[in-house]
């Protein structure tokens, strides 16, 4: 039997045994953890780094998202970090020497009410002031960009127009993780899977190591990149986060001929959909209302957003649901991330990306690596510190987040 | 879909209810004396328990009353339902 199988392809990274000590330990081997490790090595020359992953690399939200990449957020602080992220997406396939199918096919954020229109036009103008490509399209122009949308007025919430960001797009999420992992590994980073952190070793107010299912590992600095489980780790380390973890579901259809040329998101009827390179329609739902760590949610949430999808795209009525799944998203009160120092010395946290972390992968990694290397935030993540929840300088992106929560 | 037993109306589908997050969060007794940090904690910080969590629900499509639930946030199984104002019940094997 074995001789009937092809040769195993080359492994993209080593699977080393953990060393007893590292300069930096990153907890969480998803996109953000891997990107942080990569930028620590590339931008700051720090390579004595371990990424600890309790399951397998990129098996959490990195494997479960709907791969939408865009930077059309409202506020200056968000525009800066998300646009920096998008600029990295544009150079990463070359930089990582890995074609992860980044496809800049544009995103339409639909408006269905007069208030939607006002908010959307305002967001376009704000984006343009921040150098982000954004334009307002009326319903006919929406139809030109995406001919399968029903723009007639015979539906409950007719499409009145949309914001359009042509540089937005999608990428193959698994390959993005593997690209970062391979390059980080080449630069000397140890990627350690099946290694769950069970506690922190502290010397007074300073973190000096982590206890894991594979022994204690000393660390000069520790970074949390654990998305939905950030609160659990923070509690273990002895501080609190303003995070609530919710289930967020997505789904794919069977494979179809290419019919959907762009990415469409609608806050109001609530669906977001693109068509993956293979041909399946990829759709996302809103979060389930309750707190949950179960990586699954209620089917009524799926049902609601499929109803919205079929109303907007009548041809989807003939598509069959192939698979649904859930992830755990870490939601903050202002729908903006936390990329920050913590009350514990030499311990850093990157979390709170909620429903939109995939697009932020390079930006999170870039700014987190800077924060770890300098023990000070980068200009792009300074506004996203934990302090904003006592100063009141919130960065409210519930409108641009485009996923109900 | 969770089946939730409203204390007044009995078991109903989750879609009849709205979620209210962590239970037993009292309004500060003297809000004007709080520091910015304390006020921020009251406004923005809630427990995010993995396991049995005391939380509020309101039966929006029924009696419209708020009540509390002990629910496991991993299995989503409901362990107890109790009325507003009642103390958090003790579960078998509960360390609290």
């Amino acid at each position: 039997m074995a001789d009937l199988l092809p040769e195993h392809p080359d492994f993209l990274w080593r699977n080393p045994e953990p060393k007893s000590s590292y300069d930096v330990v990153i907890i969480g081997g998803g996109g953000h953890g891997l990107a942080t490790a990569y930028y620590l090595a590339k931008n700051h020359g720090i390579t004595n780094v371990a990424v600890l992953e309790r399951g397998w690399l990129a098996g959490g939200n990195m494997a479960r998202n709907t791969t939408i990449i865009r930077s059309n957020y409202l506020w200056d602080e968000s525009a800066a970090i998300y646009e920096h992220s998008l600029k990295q997406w544009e150079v990463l396939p070359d930089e990582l020497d890995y074609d992860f199918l980044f496809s800049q096919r544009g995103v339409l954020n639909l408006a269905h009410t007069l208030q939607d229109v006002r908010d959307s036009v305002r967001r376009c103008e704000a984006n343009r002031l921040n150098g982000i490509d954004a334009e307002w399209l009326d319903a006919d122009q929406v139809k030109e960009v995406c001919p399968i949308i029903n723009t007639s007025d015979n539906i409950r919430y007719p499409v009145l127009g949309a914001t359009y960001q042509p540089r937005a797009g999608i990428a193959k999420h698994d390959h993005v993780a593997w690209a970062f992992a391979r390059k980080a590994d080449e630069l000397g980073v140890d990627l350690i899977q099946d290694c769950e952190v069970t506690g922190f070793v502290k010397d007074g107010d300073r973190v000096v190591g982590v206890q894991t299912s594979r022994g204690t590992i000393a660390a000069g600095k520790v970074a949390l990149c654990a998305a939905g489980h950030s609160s659990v780790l923070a509690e273990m380390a002895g501080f609190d986060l303003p995070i609530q973890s919710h289930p967020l579901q997505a789904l794919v259809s069977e494979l179809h001929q290419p019919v959907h040329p762009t990415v469409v998101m609608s806050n109001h009827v609530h669906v977001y959909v693109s068509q993956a390179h293979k041909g399946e329609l990829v759709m996302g739902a809103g979060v389930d209302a309750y707190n949950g760590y179960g990586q699954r949610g209620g089917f009524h949430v799926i049902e609601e957003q499929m109803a919205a999808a079929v109303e907007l795209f009548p041809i989807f009525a003939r598509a069959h649901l192939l698979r649904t799944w859930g992830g755990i998203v870490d939601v903050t009160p202002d729908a903006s991330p936390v990329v920050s120092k913590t009350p514990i010395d030499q311990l850093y946290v990157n979390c709170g990306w909620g429903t939109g972390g995939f697009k932020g992968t390079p930006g999170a990694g870039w700014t987190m690596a800077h924060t770890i290397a300098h023990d000070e935030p980068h200009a792009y993540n300074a506004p996203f510190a934990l302090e904003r929840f006592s100063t009141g300088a919130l960065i409210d992106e519930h409108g641009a987040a485009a996923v109900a929560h | 879909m969770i089946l939730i037993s409203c204390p007044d109306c009995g078991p109903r589908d989750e879609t009849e209810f709205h979620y209210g997050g962590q239970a037993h969060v009292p309004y500060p007794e003297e809000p004007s004396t709080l520091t910015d940090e304390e006020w921020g904690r009251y406004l923005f910080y809630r427990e995010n328990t993995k396991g049995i969590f005391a939380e509020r629900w309101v039966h929006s499509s029924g009696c419209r009353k708020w009540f509390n639930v002990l629910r496991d946030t991993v299995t989503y199984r409901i362990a107890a339902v109790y009325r507003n104002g009642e103390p958090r019940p003790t579960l078998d094997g509960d360390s609290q």
Side-chain angles (χ1 to χ4, degrees):
Chain A
M1 183 66 193
D3 56 344
L4 296 176
L5 296 171
E7 289 280 310
H8 192 289
D10 289 342
F11 286 94
L12 296 180
W13 56 85
R14 303 161 291 130
N15 269 304
E17 286 297 310
K19 295 193 287 187
S20 60
S21 167
Y22 290 92
D23 293 342
V24 179
V25 164
I26 296 167
I27 303 172
H32 286 212
L34 294 168
T36 302
Y38 166 68
Y39 286 118
L40 267 177
K42 174 177 175 276
N43 291 358
H44 306 283
I46 299 171
T47 57
N48 184 23
V49 174
V51 177
L52 309 183
E53 167 55 49
R54 71 180 184 136
W56 59 93
L57 278 196
N61 293 347
M62 193 63 177
R64 296 158 197 269
N65 66 83
T66 52
T67 83
I68 297 168
I69 295 164
R70 60 191 174 90
S71 64
N72 54 352
Y73 283 71
L74 176 64
W75 299 105
D76 294 351
E77 297 86 346
S78 318
I81 194 168
Y82 286 106
E83 177 61 15
H84 181 68
S85 202
L86 178 51
K87 288 202 170 103
Q88 299 314 307
W89 282 109
E90 288 172 328
V91 298
L92 276 169
D94 280 344
E95 195 176 303
L96 300 175
D97 190 23
Y98 200 128
D99 178 13
F100 50 68
L101 302 179
F102 178 43
S103 162
Q104 291 180 286
R105 57 183 63 190
V107 63
L108 292 166
N109 289 80
L110 303 182
H112 301 269
T113 67
L114 184 55
Q115 190 60 45
D116 267 359
V117 173
R118 289 173 179 147
D119 290 344
S120 301
V121 171
R122 176 191 180 199
R123 194 150 62 236
C124 275
E125 299 299 341
N127 287 163
R128 292 160 73 116
L129 287 170
N130 278 312
I132 293 169
D133 55 322
E135 49 192 297
W136 169 253
L137 305 185
D138 65 24
D140 291 339
Q141 292 169 308
V142 168
K143 188 86 177 168
E144 276 168 39
V145 173
C146 188
I148 58 172
I149 296 187
N150 179 8
T151 53
S152 70
D153 59 4
N154 66 355
I155 60 176
R156 186 168 176 191
Y157 296 107
V159 175
L160 302 181
T163 68
Y164 184 49
Q165 183 181 23
R167 285 164 61 243
I170 57 173
K172 197 84 185 73
H173 50 103
D174 290 333
H175 290 251
V176 172
W178 300 340
F180 275 119
R182 181 179 68 171
K183 197 57 99 177
D185 176 87
E186 276 173 22
L187 292 168
V189 173
D190 281 0
L191 308 178
I192 299 163
Q193 306 179 73
D194 195 20
C195 181
E196 181 170 3
V197 169
T198 54
F200 291 81
V201 186
K202 291 204 290 193
D203 179 5
D205 282 338
R206 182 193 171 107
V207 70
V208 293
V210 291
Q211 290 149 349
T212 78
S213 54
R214 294 173 69 174
T216 299
I217 301 172
K221 295 158 183 273
V222 176
L224 311 184
C225 293
H229 275 79
S230 297
S231 300
V232 176
L233 284 168
E235 190 183 354
M236 239 183 245
F239 70 103
D240 294 318
L241 288 169
I243 297 279
Q244 298 281 285
S245 295
H246 288 271
L248 176 62
Q249 302 180 85
L251 62 100
V252 290
S253 73
E254 294 169 321
L255 309 190
H256 295 284
Q257 292 292 321
V259 291
H260 182 14
T262 182
V263 181
V264 171
M265 312 184 74
S266 165
N267 280 13
H268 196 76
V269 302
H270 207 281
V271 65
Y272 41 104
V273 58
S274 65
Q275 187 169 20
H277 295 83
K278 265 190 315 195
E280 68 268 46
L281 299 165
V282 183
M283 295 183 216
V287 302
D288 281 70
Y290 48 75
N291 289 24
Y293 286 87
Q295 290 190 320
R296 62 196 171 82
F299 195 74
H300 62 280
V301 177
I302 297 283
E303 207 175 353
E304 269 168 34
Q305 62 96 28
M306 285 180 70
V310 169
E311 178 146 284
L312 272 178
F313 302 92
I315 64 168
F316 290 1
R318 304 287 291 273
H320 290 159
L321 179 69
L322 181 65
R323 191 169 70 251
T324 77
W325 63 89
I328 315 167
V329 295
D330 39 335
V331 174
T332 57
D334 58 357
S336 283
V338 172
V339 187
S340 178
K341 297 174 70 166
T342 71
I344 314 229
D345 196 19
Q346 309 302 316
L347 181 67
Y348 308 89
V349 65
N350 166 53
C351 66
W353 291 83
T355 58
F358 179 71
K359 71 176 77 66
T361 301
W366 184 289
T367 55
M368 191 64 173
H370 181 102
T371 309
I372 295 165
H374 297 279
D375 195 32
E376 280 300 328
H378 188 281
Y380 290 146
N381 68 307
F384 296 96
L386 280 169
E387 283 72 25
R388 75 179 188 270
F389 298 102
S390 48
T391 62
L394 302 184
I395 303 161
D396 186 349
E397 290 290 0
H398 282 100
V403 177
H405 57 284
Chain B
M1 178 83 72
I2 302 177
L3 191 65
I4 300 171
S5 287
C6 170
D8 289 300
C9 312
R12 302 289 182 91
D13 281 347
E14 174 193 339
T15 45
E16 291 193 14
F17 298 83
H18 278 96
Y19 188 61
Q22 185 189 343
H24 309 296
V25 181
Y27 189 75
E29 283 186 14
E30 294 189 60
S32 60
T33 64
L34 298 191
T35 63
D36 288 353
E37 285 70 27
E38 289 166 335
W39 185 245
R41 287 193 69 82
Y42 168 68
L43 283 182
F44 301 125
Y45 284 74
R46 292 293 180 270
E47 284 175 22
N48 192 19
T49 310
K50 184 178 183 182
I52 296 288
F53 185 51
E55 61 191 18
R56 308 177 74 213
W57 288 85
V58 60
H59 193 185
S60 325
S61 309
C63 61
R64 296 167 66 192
K65 285 184 193 162
W66 285 94
F67 57 96
N68 295 333
V69 169
L70 291 185
R71 186 180 58 91
D72 189 317
T73 58
V74 180
T75 63
Y76 306 160
R77 193 162 292 138
I78 291 175
V81 175
Y82 54 107
R83 288 177 191 274
N84 227 357
E86 289 177 358
R88 174 178 170 148
T90 308
L91 301 177
D92 287 345
D94 196 345
S95 59
Q96 307 223 15

